[in-house]
């Protein structure tokens, strides 16, 4: 993997544990003086005994920003948002599944009006990385009957078709815009603002959307770590995660095999098992075939024939 970026942050023990749990499916042998290391398709994450966490790779800056502020340049996360933003009526937008080999890409836009902010918090909504899968599912059920939201799902066959002509970033931008457009169309009131959990620079995001017929542009803000800046983004993330988990369960039942999350060694083994049993074409309907896992799984399946 070509290492294009390097970010270092300092995390508390609790945050380290949450990070380790999140990237466990990608775990690899850690280097000396480190207690954990993981390798995703676009980033290497290393947790050192000192509490410092290093992110290296194409997605280093984006991934690091989900967990903390770089040690070398501390900047207030809320500096780019207006004062009092967390109390506004906001549509939040976030995606799940981008780093998972199996399963779709799910984007949810969720609207939390200011009068429901405290209620949504009472339901347990917070940074989804700090919640277990059962908690995610329980809270999502409550959100379903509490707030307005819209999801956009790129199932694997469509994802793989689109990936032949565009990057994952462009697909993600198109799906965010679709979810936001659909939600705004059905809302009876105009939100104060829209906050997108940033996965691309603003200019790049809108460049991705240049060919779309309708582009959501008014009162749109972008920020990394957006789950901590407004509860609407945290709610969107929880709903997206719940829908992703539901789709993973469906796919597992369809193929008769529990499909692991992430993009680590367990994923390679599961894909290899399916290739040996059903052939490599089986992956198109359940996996993001452009990931490096496909080639690894093919090699593993040939070794065990």
């Amino acid at each position: 993997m070509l290492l294009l970026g390097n970010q270092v942050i300092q995390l508390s023990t609790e945050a380290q544990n949450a990070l380790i749990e999140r990237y466990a499916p990608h775990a690899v042998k850690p280097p000396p003086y480190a207690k954990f290391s993981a390798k995703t398709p676009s980033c290497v994450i290393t947790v050192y005994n000192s509490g410092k966490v290093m992110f290296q790779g194409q997605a280093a800056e984006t991934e690091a920003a989900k967990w903390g502020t770089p040690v070398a340049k501390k900047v207030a996360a809320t500096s780019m948002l207006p004062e009092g933003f967390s109390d506004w009526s906001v549509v939040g937008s976030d995606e799940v599944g981008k780093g998972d080999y199996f399963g779709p890409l799910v984007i949810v836009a969720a609207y939390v009006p200011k009068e429901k902010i405290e209620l949504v918090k009472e339901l347990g909504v917070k940074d989804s990385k700090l919640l277990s899968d059962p908690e995610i599912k329980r809270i999502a059920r409550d959100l379903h009957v509490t707030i307005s939201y819209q999801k956009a799902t790129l199932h694997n066959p469509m994802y793989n078709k689109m990936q032949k002509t565009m990057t994952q970033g462009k697909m993600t931008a198109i799906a965010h815009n679709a979810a936001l457009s659909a939600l705004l169309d059905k809302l009876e009131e105009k939100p104060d603002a829209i906050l997108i959990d940033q996965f691309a620079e603003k200019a790049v995001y809108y460049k991705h959307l240049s060919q779309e017929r309708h582009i959501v542009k008014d009162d749109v803000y972008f920020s990394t770590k957006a789950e901590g800046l407004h509860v609407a983004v945290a709610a969107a993330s929880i709903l997206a995660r719940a829908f992703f988990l539901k789709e993973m369960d469906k796919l597992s039942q369809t193929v008769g095999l529990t499909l692991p999350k992430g993009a680590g060694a367990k994923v390679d083994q599961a894909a290899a098992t399916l290739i040996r049993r059903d052939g490599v074409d089986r992956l198109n309907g359940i996996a993001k075939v452009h990931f490096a896992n496909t080639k690894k799984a093919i090699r593993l399946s040939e070794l065990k024939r």
Side-chain angles (χ1 to χ4, degrees), residues 78-139:
T78 57
S79 60
M80 300 301 292
L81 298 177
E83 185 176 354
F85 187 90
S86 62
D87 297 321
W88 289 12
S89 296
V90 169
V91 169
S93 186
D94 201 1
E95 79 281 340
V96 171
K98 195 161 58 175
D100 294 272
Y101 179 65
F102 291 119
L105 176 63
V106 183
I107 287 82
V108 168
Y111 178 50
V112 179
K114 56 187 177 183
E115 61 269 18
K116 287 189 177 181
I117 289 176
E118 290 307 315
L119 171 60
V120 169
K121 289 180 180 178
E122 283 295 318
L123 296 179
V125 172
K126 59 181 178 181
D127 189 335
S128 63
K129 294 186 291 293
L130 302 177
L131 296 169
S132 66
D133 287 350
E135 288 175 318
I136 291 280
K137 293 176 180 178
R138 175 184 59 77
I139 296 170

Side-chain angles (χ1 to χ4, degrees), residues 21 41 98 116 118 137 194 200 222 239 248:
E21 181 179 353
K98 195 161 58 175
K116 287 189 177 181
E118 290 307 315
K137 293 176 180 178
I194 294 166
F222 298 81
L239 285 164
M248 285 289 283

Side-chain angles (χ1 to χ4, degrees), residues 41-58:
S42 57
C43 191
V44 175
I45 304 101
T46 305
V47 181
Y48 289 93
N49 296 332
S50 63
K52 285 188 170 64
V53 182
M54 178 178 286
F55 298 78
Q56 298 171 290
Q58 290 176 302

